[in-house]
Amino acid sequence: MSQMEKSGKLWGGRFSGATDPLMEKFNASISFDKRMWRADLEGSKAYSKALHRVGILATCEMHSILEGLDKVSEEWMSGTFQIQAGDEDIHTANERRLKEIIGTVAGKLHTGRSRNDQNATDIRIWVRESLKELRKHVLEFLQVTVDRAEREIDVLMPGYTHMQRAQPIRWSHWILSHSWPLQRDLQKLDELSKRVNVLPLGCGALAGNPFAIDREFLARELHFDSVSHNSLDGTAGRDFVAEFLFWATLTTVHLSKFAEDLIIYSSNEFNFVSLADAYSTGSSLMPQKKNPDSLELVRGKCGRVFGRCSGFLMTLKGLPSTYNKDLQEDKEALFEAYDTVSDMLQISAGVLATLTINADNMKAALSTTMLATDVAYYLVRKGVPFRDAHGKSGEVVALAEKKNCKMQELTMQDLKSIHSQFDEDVAKLWDYETSVEQYSSLGGTAKSAVSKQIKELKASIGKE
Ligand code: ARG
């Protein structure tokens, strides 16, 4: 019996002692990298075809391997694949099973390949396919925002700075303020996808492939856009993982801000929105409570995604060339970030699609003091320099406060005592709709400008 057979490991040839059981567990990645089974089998199928093209595999051997790989695939699909002790990772598990099914010819599949280029290829395929899923979820979220913004364009609410009532805005304008960051995330995702889709297969362990494997053929087979230029970089480069983690982090930062606004708006103090029961939970103690747990988790889970991003960057820092086992840490970071951001996107879309708005409460939260800027603009339109107009408007606010009345209740005499340009037409100012409609420049909160945003957003998500 050879050493390899004794240890049962693909790399067991030079070892005589058994692996410490804890080391075995510490080293193994099968418990999580089994998620990449499909990518691993696809990569092996393409590689066996490439080996056939250079004469390493006879036609019948290639067919035997391809059929065997399909059988392994069926086992994964039907849930009958049995992971065995000694299956260190998905690569060894699939190859072990292939050998059981087709016999020793399976041993030719790994010719010139290493788990280093195999693994890097699997991850890139997995990330590429996962980005397609995430893309759909971002688009769904954007679609919900656009639909809602279009439907509820007439609803007005207070806009805040420093969490203080600032100026009246359209509710749709608030919704869309959360669409644009996600729209940029979509653009980033598309840019990132290009950098993910570069093929490392054929880089071997580190030095390249000694059997003149046609890497461009492999790229075509596996739908990669290009091949990596340097085998050392190809096997060990994980920029795309770091980029994905940053992408996920920034997307969750955007969603957490969206969540935080809605948590505030759903509180009794605001009562601008009510979450659907489907996205709320009750309190085990206080019967009256309806908690926005969905949004709190969207806000809170941002932390773990950021943690994965910073944690993996720390893993990368100062690693020597080329593959080092530290890099195995890439997968759990990726998987956790992916699962979390995927759920967060879908939950956020669900919350927004199903909540109900309390337009009357939004309107009731508007106060005429929020029109103080408009008083200044009134004077500006009569030729008063803005700096003076701003001061005069402040005097109007102060006088109303002193008289314990609203600005619109001040008499014409009161107003004239502050500035001679005040006239009867000032009465038109005390209307929130009029206030909002003056912001008609691009990007503003007037109906025409908000409609334009909706149109542009629709176009950018391919809906117009
Ligand atoms: N499970 C390993 C990983 O995820 C696969 C690559 C192993 N390569 C090696 N030279 N030990 O990184």
Side-chain angles (χ1 to χ4, degrees):
M1 220 200 269
S2 73
Q3 291 292 353
M4 179 177 157
E5 279 162 78
K6 260 189 276 167
S7 73
K9 298 222 164 30
L10 293 174
W11 42 259
R14 73 178 290 279
F15 289 83
S16 51
T19 316
D20 176 273
L22 181 58
M23 171 57 197
E24 187 103 26
K25 178 168 163 280
F26 194 57
N27 189 43
S29 53
I30 186 71
S31 63
F32 47 87
D33 69 13
K34 61 182 180 203
R35 276 180 82 150
M36 305 192 307
W37 67 264
R38 194 189 296 274
D40 191 68
L41 294 172
E42 273 175 34
S44 287
K45 283 173 82 171
Y47 195 68
S48 65
K49 290 182 200 165
L51 286 174
H52 173 247
R53 282 162 65 98
V54 293
I56 301 271
L57 290 180
T59 307
C60 61
E61 292 174 323
M62 176 187 72
H63 284 308
S64 164
I65 289 176
L66 290 175
E67 280 160 28
L69 290 169
D70 282 340
K71 290 208 179 92
V72 180
S73 176
E74 278 158 28
E75 291 187 4
W76 279 111
M77 258 185 299
S78 61
T80 54
F81 188 99
Q82 300 277 338
I83 293 170
Q84 290 188 358
D87 283 347
E88 185 182 322
D89 53 30
I90 186 62
H91 326 298
T92 45
N94 278 340
E95 195 178 327
R96 188 261 310 150
R97 186 68 190 125
L98 180 68
K99 188 175 171 201
E100 285 167 3
I101 297 171
I102 67 167
T104 48
V105 67
K108 289 197 172 186
L109 171 62
H110 213 50
T111 313
R113 187 174 70 165
S114 153
R115 278 185 299 159
N116 296 353
D117 59 343
Q118 182 180 4
N119 173 49
T121 304
D122 291 5
I123 310 167
R124 283 181 187 264
I125 293 176
W126 188 87
V127 173
R128 178 181 77 192
E129 300 310 313
S130 301
L131 286 176
K132 288 182 193 158
E133 291 303 305
L134 291 175
R135 192 172 204 287
K136 281 190 227 155
H137 297 322
V138 176
L139 282 173
E140 281 154 13
F141 177 84
L142 289 174
Q143 190 60 53
V144 172
T145 64
V146 165
D147 287 348
R148 194 132 210 169
E150 202 161 32
R151 239 185 9 254
E152 293 169 338
I153 197 162
D154 291 321
V155 176
L156 304 186
M157 69 181 288
Y160 299 86
T161 61
H162 311 269
M163 279 308 295
Q164 306 292 318
R165 286 178 186 167
Q167 289 173 337
I169 57 168
R170 290 189 185 279
W171 153 247
S172 298
H173 199 46
W174 172 85
I175 296 178
L176 296 167
S177 73
H178 292 284
S179 313
W180 292 108
L182 267 293
Q183 190 263 2
R184 292 192 293 275
D185 292 334
L186 194 66
Q187 291 175 347
K188 288 190 195 85
L189 185 152
D190 289 341
E191 285 153 19
L192 159 64
S193 300
K194 289 183 213 146
R195 285 186 289 278
V196 171
N197 211 22
V198 179
L199 179 80
L201 195 58
C203 287
L206 75 161
N209 187 288
F211 298 105
I213 262 321
D214 182 351
R215 297 188 63 212
E216 271 155 3
F217 165 80
L218 283 171
R220 283 195 300 280
E221 281 289 302
L222 293 168
H223 312 292
F224 279 86
D225 299 326
S226 61
V227 299
S228 57
H229 294 294
N230 177 300
S231 60
L232 309 182
D233 178 45
T235 47
R238 293 292 185 275
D239 289 8
F240 72 101
V241 175
E243 257 193 272
F244 171 81
L245 294 171
F246 172 71
W247 179 88
T249 303
L250 192 62
T251 302
T252 60
V253 165
H254 292 148
L255 293 175
S256 74
K257 177 178 177 178
F258 161 82
E260 171 65 355
D261 274 357
L262 284 179
I263 290 168
I264 295 169
Y265 296 163
S266 70
S267 67
N268 273 334
E269 282 67 21
F270 278 73
N271 202 4
F272 289 175
V273 300
S274 307
L275 262 53
D277 287 352
Y279 294 100
S280 313
T281 59
S283 158
S284 56
L285 192 147
M286 299 160 283
Q288 85 283 9
K289 292 283 289 295
K290 182 168 155 183
N291 299 325
D293 292 32
S294 50
L295 294 169
E296 289 164 31
L297 287 166
V298 167
R299 185 177 60 186
K301 281 178 189 288
C302 187
R304 74 164 70 198
V305 179
F306 175 75
R308 283 302 193 177
C309 180
S310 56
F312 186 63
L313 285 172
M314 193 56 76
T315 296
L316 286 182
K317 187 212 163 279
L319 271 189
S321 300
T322 56
Y323 179 82
N324 296 270
K325 199 60 175 265
D326 317 46
L327 290 177
Q328 182 165 281
E329 290 291 298
D330 57 5
K331 280 168 283 291
E332 282 162 295
L334 273 175
F335 297 155
E336 188 172 18
Y338 169 80
D339 290 341
T340 311
V341 71
S342 168
D343 287 353
M344 284 171 69
L345 283 163
Q346 294 173 77
I347 294 284
S348 300
V351 169
L352 186 63
T354 56
L355 58 76
T356 48
I357 59 165
N358 306 323
D360 290 344
N361 288 340
M362 291 185 185
K363 193 159 186 197
L366 296 169
S367 57
T368 43
T369 45
M370 296 176 70
L371 301 175
T373 325
D374 297 26
V375 174
Y377 292 158
Y378 170 90
L379 292 174
V380 165
R381 290 192 178 101
K382 303 221 165 192
V384 180
F386 175 72
R387 289 287 166 223
D388 299 341
H390 183 272
K392 292 294 167 192
S393 165
E395 285 178 38
V396 173
V397 174
L399 185 59
E401 255 174 33
K402 192 167 142 218
K403 293 188 127 191
N404 199 18
C405 69
K406 296 184 173 148
M407 283 194 293
Q408 67 269 39
E409 289 165 1
L410 291 170
T411 63
M412 192 43 61
Q413 212 181 350
D414 289 333
L415 291 174
K416 286 243 187 240
S417 73
I418 293 172
H419 202 290
S420 61
Q421 290 285 9
F422 280 115
D423 220 328
E424 295 299 336
D425 60 352
V426 78
K428 285 198 216 128
L429 280 188
W430 316 120
D431 178 68
Y432 301 115
E433 185 73 28
T434 313
S435 169
V436 163
E437 279 308 280
Q438 66 191 324
Y439 297 101
S440 59
S441 286
L442 285 181
T445 199
K447 195 167 184 169
S448 59
V450 173
S451 299
K452 196 162 168 39
Q453 285 185 61
I454 294 173
K455 201 159 174 259
E456 278 166 3
L457 209 51
K458 274 185 178 173
S460 82
I461 60 175
K463 289 284 153 85
E464 215 174 58

